[in-house]
Amino acid sequence: MKSSLPIGIFDSGIGGLSVYSQIKKILPNEDIIYFGDTARAPYGPRYPWEIREFVNQMLSFFDHCNVKIAVSACNTITVLGLEEFQKNHDFKIVGMSTGAQQAIAASTNKRIGVIGTEVTIQSGMHHKTLSALKPESKVYTQACPKFASLIEQGKLTGIEIEDAIAEYLTLFRKEKIDTLLLACTHYPYINGLIKAFMGDQVRVIDPAEDTARQIRNVLSNAEILNDNGKTGKGRLYFSGKAQQVRRIADNIMDTSGCLFLERNLRSSSM
Ligand code: DGL
């Protein structure tokens, strides 16, 4: 496998762009192909079999793009288990870090909250990992189904998202958590509002940076890290309207050098 091949990153929609930005920061020379299934997002309320079918389509697209690694920038996909997809592809498939180690390290009172989609919270993955690392910790979890769909619509501020934050996070205030783990890649985009609601004493953990570091290690161990000194390019594909995403993306990330493109995964022209 050649180091000059691109990294593939995929998510249900625009959430994975928060991971894209961290990977870009840590691995500036890498070319990246992003796929966001915006036409079918959010995945959180969907059945696992449906999500698996969509993931197979995105990974077939990455076969066609000849990526050297595929990163699931989506907790909802990651918690379903990536091993079953691996056998059909030559590139390695890597998922999101749980962020559990960072959360344990950040917490003083060992009262930790976890927020994510229905699928992620029902999987219990973050709860189990936190409890395994620190059995005496108290873990509180909450699915936040409205968040991803509001964020996909670009509603990152305003009454709707503020009401949803109050609806989901009041529990954590009552339980006096001091650390909140974001187990969904869409949530960093409302980090400011979450912090404002929870107060300064609560640390908010985004596992995106840790995930990016893990990707660097995987590439480095496989000796396929691209360090040619040239700034990498980004091709960002979406199954929905690319221009709509572009308008949101311009406010949440550095879009310089990024091409925004549309691709229907169900079409036979792939
Ligand atoms: N960004 C995704 C995650 O990390 C999925 C959100 C959704 O599509 O519901 O879980």
Side-chain angles (χ1 to χ4, degrees), residues 11-13 15-16 41-45 73-77 117 120 148 183-186:
D11 179 44
S12 63
Y43 281 4
C74 177
N75 292 272
T76 306
I77 296 170
T117 67
T120 300
C184 175
T185 56
H186 280 72

Side-chain angles (χ1 to χ4, degrees), residues 157-205:
T157 55
I159 190 83
E160 279 176 88
I161 194 79
E162 283 178 27
D163 283 353
I165 286 172
E167 181 184 333
Y168 298 134
L169 305 192
T170 299
L171 149 88
F172 298 123
R173 275 198 190 166
K174 286 197 193 119
E175 298 297 348
K176 304 209 180 329
I177 63 156
D178 73 353
T179 304
L180 180 64
L181 182 50
L182 306 185
C184 175
T185 56
H186 280 72
Y187 303 171
Y189 296 125
I190 52 166
N191 205 352
L193 289 179
I194 290 175
K195 281 187 175 152
F197 183 82
M198 292 305 300
D200 289 342
Q201 73 289 357
V202 174
R203 263 144 296 181
V204 178
I205 308 293

